[in-house]
Amino acid sequence: QGLVVKRKADKPGGSPEKRIGRIGIEIEILPRHIFKRVGLVESMEYGARVTLVNAVLVGNSLKTLLTTSDGFKHVGGPIAIAKAAGDSAKHGLAEYTWFTGVLSINLAIFNLLPFLALDGGRMLFLLYELVRRKRVDPRKEFLANAIGMGFLLLLIVLITAKDLRDLILK
């Protein structure tokens, strides 16, 4: 058995106030939570639905990031994530648990992107080996992953610098 959090607004027919987070996570500021005890199957169905919805949100966020000139404004790194986690914790354990679950889904999806040095990049190498029916030269694979890791580290530094700038200016 598990617990499903149903969200309810203070006013009948109203909806909770929503704020779109800079890291692509939607944080709902909830006046109250209603907990309902449900069985294992319903808990799993709910979890699958939430995961699918958040996967679509991550996809939309990536599309915005890559196709609009101000997409980078909505990217947040470790500092923005820590701040969002603190903000969600102020709203109680249920909201914090929701945030960490959504963050885990986001990280899992990003890890599966076909980018070298991530699991998605490894899957590209495996697909290549499957199609070509021969192993990739380990030196070339290492070099590709090293370049990918260098790019990821540079991206982390840039996003963290942006987070620091945003934190100081706000």
Side-chain angles (χ1 to χ4, degrees):
Q1 289 197 358
L3 291 177
V4 173
V5 179
K6 293 205 172 188
R7 281 128 200 265
K8 187 174 180 182
D10 276 336
K11 299 175 195 166
S15 62
E17 178 185 341
K18 291 185 178 181
R19 176 171 57 97
I20 303 298
R22 286 190 13 234
I23 55 177
I25 296 175
E26 182 179 294
I27 300 173
E28 295 184 24
I29 303 181
L30 305 170
R32 62 180 167 222
H33 298 276
I34 298 173
F35 293 93
K36 174 185 170 190
R37 187 166 297 279
V38 296
L40 178 64
V41 173
E42 190 176 347
S43 294
M44 291 173 65
E45 288 172 350
Y46 180 76
R49 273 195 315 273
V50 168
T51 300
L52 182 62
V53 165
N54 283 288
V56 170
L57 288 173
V58 169
N60 291 340
S61 296
L62 280 173
K63 181 181 172 189
T64 300
L65 178 67
L66 298 174
T67 60
T68 64
S69 60
D70 66 334
F72 192 68
K73 287 181 187 177
H74 304 288
V75 173
I79 295 171
I81 292 170
K83 184 176 180 332
D87 291 346
S88 69
K90 290 176 187 173
H91 295 285
L93 182 60
E95 197 66 32
Y96 181 71
T97 303
W98 178 264
F99 174 82
T100 56
V102 170
L103 181 62
S104 294
I105 293 167
N106 284 350
L107 292 174
I109 292 167
F110 280 112
N111 192 43
L112 292 175
L113 290 175
F115 190 79
L116 298 173
L118 296 176
D119 288 341
R122 178 70 188 133
M123 289 190 304
L124 278 180
F125 279 114
L126 292 174
L127 181 63
Y128 174 83
E129 291 175 1
L130 181 69
V131 170
R132 297 269 310 186
R133 296 187 187 262
K134 70 177 195 175
R135 191 165 182 333
V136 174
D137 180 2
R139 291 177 297 204
K140 290 179 181 174
E141 185 176 354
F142 174 80
L143 181 62
N145 281 318
I147 291 169
M149 182 58 76
F151 181 74
L152 279 176
L153 291 173
L154 177 63
L155 193 60
I156 289 169
V157 167
L158 291 173
I159 291 172
T160 302
K162 179 189 165 302
D163 283 350
L164 284 171
R165 186 197 71 199
D166 291 348
L167 189 65
I168 292 168
L169 295 178
K170 288 185 180 184

